[in-house]
Amino acid sequence: MHATPAETTEPAFRTLGGLRFSKGHGTGNDFVLIADPEGVQTIDAEQVAALCDRHRGIGGDGLIRAVPSRYLSEGRELLGTSPDAEWFMDYRNGDGSLSEMCGNGVRVFVHFLRAEGLVDLPDGGALTIGTRGGVKTVVRTGENYAVDMGPWEFIFPGEASAKAMDSLVTAEGLEVPRPALSVSMGNPHTVVALAELSELEATRLFDAPHVDPVPAKGTNVEFVVPSDPLVHDGIGTVTMRVHERGVGETQSCGTGACAAAVAIRHWAGAEAPDTWQVRVPGGVVGVKFFSGAAGHEHVELSGPAVIVASGTLS
């Protein structure tokens, strides 16, 4: 049988032969990880998409390059105010597009730095990381990590305050458009509350949901079911699925879990707790609200990080 042209096409990452990589995940949100301590490795959008391809590449929701902040213009800018942010998480979505931040990714990033011997982080120790969503502080708690995700804000604050919703979301499997609330965690999210787990299971996320109006840079869309009762022993619990822009449905989304807790807490009212568990297809992450600098409320995301394999591109 003769091979067709499609079968003989070289993958876009073939020119990266010899490059070392690792594969890691945080509650199923998985990443290709590259260490670039000298700041010399260039991986373009097409190569990222090829590496993240689950059939012809390594497979992943995104690619993370670990590079010293001084080698990137965004990193040098952060070093001006945060000189401890030695390492920068250079993150791209699975389609190769740049993303501001990834909550699961930053935990896996720090675990990768430890595994590569690039940092020494004892249990209880903190590490400052540069990202396109600003500086993040990550604390090691055993083999888990807790990340100060910084302040949250409503993308459309007027509508959020007046109506507790700012957009309508249409998705396959849901009979009618649903009201939603848009939250920024350094990257954009649109959160939809559903009444039943059966509705959540019936929602099909192969294609991106339609959001009207959509935030300027697009949005990740979270579908969330509050538990019944919502709060037990002072902890709120929700179950979530997510469609990430530039990726599709993922097993977990850290910034999305934070945004979901923001929205559900807002809808629940003044008596809602500050501590949450968010159940995602890939596991459970924790979300806490606390007072940060300059009176802004910050969000902490906590959960596991795992390196599952390492190798070299052929």
Side-chain angles (χ1 to χ4, degrees), residues 16-100:
L16 301 175
L19 182 67
R20 292 186 61 248
F21 70 90
S22 291
K23 176 73 178 288
H25 77 90
T27 53
N29 199 186
D30 60 339
F31 312 96
V32 179
L33 299 132
I34 306 294
D36 187 15
E38 304 302 322
V40 297
Q41 187 62 61
T42 300
I43 305 175
D44 63 29
E46 184 182 8
Q47 290 171 324
V48 170
L51 285 167
C52 291
D53 188 299
R54 297 191 182 279
H55 300 286
R56 296 181 174 87
I58 299 166
D61 293 325
L63 181 141
I64 300 173
R65 180 173 67 119
V67 59
S69 294
R70 66 182 181 273
Y71 292 127
L72 292 175
S73 59
E74 303 98 322
R76 289 191 293 272
E77 184 176 346
L78 293 175
L79 286 171
T81 54
S82 302
D84 292 339
E86 177 186 357
W87 288 96
F88 192 93
M89 185 179 79
D90 183 16
Y91 178 67
R92 286 181 180 268
N93 294 315
D95 67 352
S97 60
L98 288 173
S99 182
E100 301 91 344

Side-chain angles (χ1 to χ4, degrees), residues 7 11 14 17 21-22 38 67-68 73 94 117 135 165 177 203-204 212 237 247 254-255 259 265-266 290 293 298 303:
E7 290 171 330
R14 188 62 71 199
F21 70 90
S22 291
E38 304 302 322
V67 59
S73 59
V135 170
M165 58 86 68
T203 305
R204 293 190 287 275
D212 182 27
T237 302
V247 185
T255 52
R265 189 178 69 146
H266 181 70
F290 65 97
H298 283 221

